[in-house]
């Protein structure tokens, strides 16, 4: 997961403006939820499904899942409501209404792969578990739960929204493909990291394997950089030619942290410290 700046993409036309489908749906939903019918039947939200919304989200997240950063498949990915629109869990019970007033709000929408967005059964270390967000939206102990527009600003969510905060503050990616929570001020695993890993299913075996494969490619390219540095330091190559070769290898390494690449959270945590100090060599001289 990587920090995404939502302001880099204009809000889709179908959600904004006085005559937009999103505003019209908001007005209908507001009236609907003033009555009692919502207790029996869910409101038919549709505005968020428009092609302009999907196009904007695909551009914003560069064709990758907002949560796991896997490249999205050719079939249509899922438009995800960070705060669930129709219902949320209270303990193990799914109870309506959800955050219905955010169903057509650009700031609440992300794009997700099916594995992160839907709850599914997996086997992890021989134990059956259910992973995937679905309608989960855990809050910190004692946090109020919003029941009407505006109250969500008082909540303390335990899930990372990559458009609101930097996931690297909460998630630690490792070279073996695994991810663990960062530690809090007391040295304990931070709650937001723990919940995000569990709810988004960021330890799925297939996902861990893909991150590990990317990490191995990154480490292989790092070794190429170190090899060129060694040649320069030992005087085995002409300085000008050696630096040109090293520059090319650094360019290949930097490709792993370009916007369209998968698993940038992992890539930055591996590459950034390496670039700052690759065994004491001053890369500014290249």
């Amino acid at each position: 997961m990587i920090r995404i700046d939502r302001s880099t993409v204009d809000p889709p036309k179908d959600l904004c403006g006085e005559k937009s489908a999103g505003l019209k749906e908001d007005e209908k939903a507001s009236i609907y939820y003033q009555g009692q019918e919502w207790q029996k039947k869910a409101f038919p939200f549709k505005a968020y499904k428009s092609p302009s919304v999907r196009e904007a989200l695909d551009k914003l997240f560069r064709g990758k899942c907002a949560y796991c950063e896997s490249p999205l498949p050719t079939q249509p990915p899922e438009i995800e409501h960070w705060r669930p629109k129709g219902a949320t869990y209270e303990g193990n019970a799914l109870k309506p209404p959800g955050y219905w007033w955010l169903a057509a709000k650009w700031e609440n929408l992300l794009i997700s792969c099916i594995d992160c967005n839907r709850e599914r059964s997996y086997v992890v270390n021989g134990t059956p578990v259910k992973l995937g967000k679905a309608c989960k939206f855990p809050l910190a102990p004692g946090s109020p739960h919003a029941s009407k527009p505006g109250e969500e600003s008082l909540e303390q969510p335990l899930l990372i929204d990559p458009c609101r905060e930097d996931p690297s503050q909460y998630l630690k990616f490792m070279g073996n493909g695994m991810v663990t929570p960062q530690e809090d001020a007391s040295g304990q695993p931070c709650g937001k990291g723990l919940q995000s890993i569990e709810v988004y299913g960021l330890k799925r075996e297939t996902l861990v394997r893909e991150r590990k494969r990317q990490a191995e490619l990154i480490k292989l390219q790092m070794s190429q950089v170190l090899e060129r540095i060694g040649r320069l330091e030992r005087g085995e190559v002409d300085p000008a030619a050696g630096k040109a070769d090293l520059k090319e290898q650094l360019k290949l390494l930097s490709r792993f942290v370009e916007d369209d690449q998968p698993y940038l959270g992992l890539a930055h945590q591996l590459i950034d410290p390496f670039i700052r100090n690759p065994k004491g060599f001053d890369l500014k001289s290249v």
Side-chain angles (χ1 to χ4, degrees):
M1 196 183 302
I2 195 74
R3 178 76 168 91
I4 298 293
D5 183 358
R6 193 179 284 272
S7 69
T8 59
V9 173
D10 292 334
K13 62 181 180 180
D14 289 309
L15 299 185
C16 305
E18 295 181 359
K19 298 182 180 180
S20 68
L23 182 60
K24 292 177 181 178
E25 186 173 88
D26 279 347
E27 294 171 349
K28 292 179 180 178
S30 179
I31 295 171
Y32 185 83
Y33 283 98
Q34 289 176 23
Q36 301 299 317
E37 186 66 19
W38 60 267
Q39 298 182 26
K40 304 175 184 178
K41 183 180 179 181
F43 183 85
F45 297 107
K46 295 180 180 179
Y48 75 94
K49 299 179 182 180
S50 77
S52 73
V53 175
R54 188 176 298 277
E55 181 180 351
L57 287 172
D58 186 66
K59 182 178 179 181
L60 178 63
F61 291 98
R62 297 125 184 175
K64 297 176 289 184
C65 174
Y67 299 133
C68 74
E69 285 198 276
S70 295
L72 293 169
T74 53
Q75 68 266 29
E78 301 197 326
I79 296 176
E80 148 74 351
H81 291 80
W82 189 60
R83 281 184 166 89
K85 63 185 183 301
T88 56
Y89 278 100
E90 291 184 20
N92 294 321
L94 185 60
K95 295 186 177 181
Y99 300 84
W100 55 266
W101 60 93
L102 300 176
K105 292 294 186 291
W106 170 239
E107 294 76 16
N108 192 48
L109 299 178
L110 304 94
I111 202 159
S112 173
C113 69
I114 290 175
D115 291 329
C116 284
N117 193 35
R118 299 187 188 183
E119 186 177 64
R120 295 183 172 191
S121 296
Y122 297 86
V123 176
V124 177
N125 297 326
T127 303
V129 295
K130 287 187 176 182
L131 302 174
K133 183 171 180 287
C135 294
K136 303 183 188 79
F137 196 72
L139 301 174
S143 173
H145 190 290
S147 59
K148 60 183 179 180
E151 289 184 348
E152 67 273 10
S153 63
L154 303 175
E155 293 181 332
Q156 300 175 48
L158 284 177
L159 293 181
I160 301 168
D161 179 351
C163 291
R164 289 183 169 89
E165 51 203 334
D166 183 358
S168 68
Q169 295 180 6
Y170 309 103
L171 301 176
K172 183 190 300 182
F173 292 97
M174 293 172 286
N176 62 359
M178 288 297 292
V179 58
T180 61
Q182 296 280 15
E183 294 180 351
D184 61 21
S186 64
Q188 298 300 310
C190 68
K192 186 169 284 193
L194 279 169
Q195 287 289 322
S196 296
I197 290 170
E198 179 180 344
V199 171
Y200 298 146
L202 299 183
K203 285 186 177 181
R204 303 189 301 268
E205 290 184 1
T206 54
L207 178 58
V208 170
R209 282 200 301 269
E210 290 303 312
R211 284 200 302 256
K212 182 180 179 181
R213 184 177 291 111
Q214 189 76 346
E216 288 172 346
L217 292 173
I218 290 171
K219 288 186 284 186
L220 178 61
Q221 188 56 39
M222 286 178 177
S223 72
Q224 295 296 316
V225 171
L226 291 176
E227 181 185 11
R228 270 57 173 193
I229 289 174
R231 291 178 184 176
L232 278 168
E233 291 180 329
R234 293 189 299 269
E236 296 175 356
V237 294
D238 173 75
K243 286 186 177 182
D245 188 14
L246 174 56
K247 187 174 183 179
E248 181 62 26
Q249 296 304 317
L250 286 168
K251 183 178 179 180
L252 293 173
L253 182 61
S254 68
R255 177 76 178 98
F256 288 101
V257 290
E258 292 181 1
D259 288 345
D260 64 337
Q261 292 295 296
Y263 316 122
L264 288 180
L266 164 74
H268 275 290
Q269 289 188 17
L270 291 177
I271 293 173
D272 292 354
F274 177 83
I275 292 296
R276 285 195 294 270
N277 186 26
K279 294 192 173 180
F281 188 84
D282 183 13
L283 291 175
K284 293 179 181 179
S285 65
V286 178

